[in-house]
Amino acid sequence: MKPIYIDYLNALDIEALAMTDAEIIGAVEAGLVAQGKGQTVIEPRVHLEPDPSFHGHFNVLRGYVAPLDAAGVKIVGDYVDNYLHGLPSEFGVLNLFDPRTGTPRAILDATVITDMRTGAVTAIGAKHLAKKTSKVLGHIGARGTAYWNVRLLDHLFDFDEIRVHSRRPESRDAFAAKLSADLGKKVTAVADWKSCVDGADIVVEASRLNEPQPLLKTEWIKPGALVVPYGTMSAVELSLTDIMGKIVVDDWGQCKSGKFGSLRAHVETGRLSEATLHAELGQIAAGLKPGRQGDDETILFWHRGLSLSDIALGKAMLAKAGTQGVGQRLRFA
């Protein structure tokens, strides 16, 4: 047997790559297009909850993207109390394999990949589903994925006003300050949910709740807005889907089942079903189904997170690392 090597990118390597906003969005959208064309295999995520008292769980995401010639498995921990230990709420590892032989090809730190690809899916959803003239963003939540939501959305829309809110004042203030510095425009931290989302053109709900609580009121949603709720625990009212002209998800297979998710109650009560679902985002990105068809449409986009987005972004990072001499090669066998 010939020697087998694994390409390894740690967090410092990925930072050194300095992936641009356009590179991140482009890689993730290519994965979504492959999904829309039926060129992927996505297994619904599974969870491991070691102990409820730990206030966290692991997500295991599995997928295959034929155009990229890659299969992958990502394991990411999601622990809401990690800030008490000076740690990010999420840590992840992405493993990439040869889909024909099962030979391991690469290991990547997937913590920032998770953040980046989540923000990219939010942004790509808005690209196809939000009004082109959207100028006000209201964002709930300040966890790792939140930064890339705001940054990549602003890359596409160049907002006139960005409002952010999270439960802890020190968290939201620091979040707004970092975004203001990085985006070169004012980002306002607000003290309550209503002030954040009322009248916004795009509303993103990425809250960190320990249990479902309807903090986002349907009456605050502006007609014609795009609403993107993806918190682990639901923060929306059951009536939210009643005002929507279209409901779009990233993958119906994993949205229709499982313990977690912002619209879990809507699925269980029949408000969201295959009959009421307009499309998966990949079908829209591939041009197989329409996205927004008028400024008066109020649209909801719920994404749970796709293994194929991790795989696509990981492959793009490995390609860039190869041209820049970044990363390490590990002897496997």
Side-chain angles (χ1 to χ4, degrees), residues 25-326:
I25 292 173
V28 174
E29 186 152 25
L32 288 168
V33 169
Q35 179 200 13
K37 292 181 176 180
Q39 299 170 329
T40 63
V41 177
I42 306 168
E43 294 290 341
R45 68 173 61 198
V46 293
H47 304 283
L48 170 65
E49 192 173 10
D51 189 312
S53 68
F54 296 163
H55 296 156
H57 65 278
F58 293 94
N59 300 306
V60 183
L61 293 80
R62 304 154 291 164
Y64 164 60
V65 185
L68 298 179
D69 189 35
V73 178
K74 186 184 77 169
I75 302 173
V76 57
D78 188 352
Y79 282 74
V80 298
D81 292 339
N82 271 9
Y83 72 92
L84 298 172
H85 309 290
L87 297 171
S89 61
E90 295 174 316
F91 284 105
V93 175
L94 173 64
N95 299 278
L96 296 179
F97 302 88
D98 183 323
R100 289 167 178 78
T101 66
T103 306
R105 285 179 171 170
I107 300 172
L108 297 86
D109 173 272
T111 308
V112 73
I113 287 177
T114 300
D115 294 346
M116 287 177 173
R117 67 87 156 130
T118 302
V121 173
T122 300
I124 294 162
K127 171 184 171 181
H128 293 284
L129 300 172
K131 290 183 296 185
K132 303 301 183 188
T133 56
S134 295
K135 287 300 175 185
V136 179
L137 170 65
H139 192 288
I140 300 291
R143 56 172 157 162
T145 58
Y147 173 84
W148 289 98
N149 283 335
V150 177
R151 174 168 163 171
L152 297 180
L153 281 167
D154 190 63
H155 173 75
L156 296 181
F157 290 91
D158 189 18
F159 296 110
D160 292 338
E161 183 180 359
I162 300 174
R163 316 169 194 151
V164 298
H165 171 74
S166 66
R167 179 181 55 190
R168 294 180 293 121
E170 64 273 20
S171 173
R172 62 177 177 255
D173 291 344
F175 184 47
K178 177 172 176 53
L179 284 168
S180 295
D182 290 357
L183 300 181
K185 63 175 61 177
K186 182 180 180 181
V187 175
T188 304
V190 297
D192 61 273
W193 285 59
K194 186 176 189 296
S195 299
C196 186
V197 306
D198 195 11
D201 297 308
I202 299 175
V203 174
V204 180
E205 181 273 300
S207 59
R208 306 285 295 165
L209 303 180
N210 289 322
E211 58 186 22
Q213 189 176 357
L215 297 172
L216 178 62
K217 304 300 182 184
T218 303
E219 65 187 38
W220 300 338
I221 302 304
K222 175 182 177 180
L226 171 66
V227 182
V228 187
Y230 74 86
T232 301
M233 295 293 177
S234 178
V236 303
E237 295 182 305
L238 281 174
S239 60
L240 181 64
T241 51
D242 297 343
I243 67 168
M244 297 299 164
K246 286 187 174 82
I247 301 176
V248 176
V249 301
D250 56 354
D251 175 57
W252 176 241
Q254 64 179 2
C255 286
K256 68 181 179 181
S257 62
K259 177 179 178 181
F260 301 105
S262 58
L263 295 190
R264 180 58 49 225
H266 298 75
V267 174
E268 292 172 352
T269 58
R271 288 172 172 81
L272 176 55
S273 66
E274 288 187 73
T276 62
L277 181 68
H278 169 65
E280 293 178 336
L281 180 59
Q283 296 172 313
I284 296 172
L288 303 176
K289 289 194 176 181
R292 176 175 288 270
Q293 294 174 287
D295 284 354
D296 59 339
E297 282 189 302
T298 308
I299 300 177
L300 186 146
F301 172 45
W302 177 29
H303 58 95
R304 299 289 319 280
L306 291 175
S307 57
L308 64 89
S309 298
D310 299 301
I311 294 166
L313 185 53
K315 285 279 289 189
M317 288 179 171
L318 287 167
K320 189 170 185 178
T323 65
Q324 296 186 352
V326 172

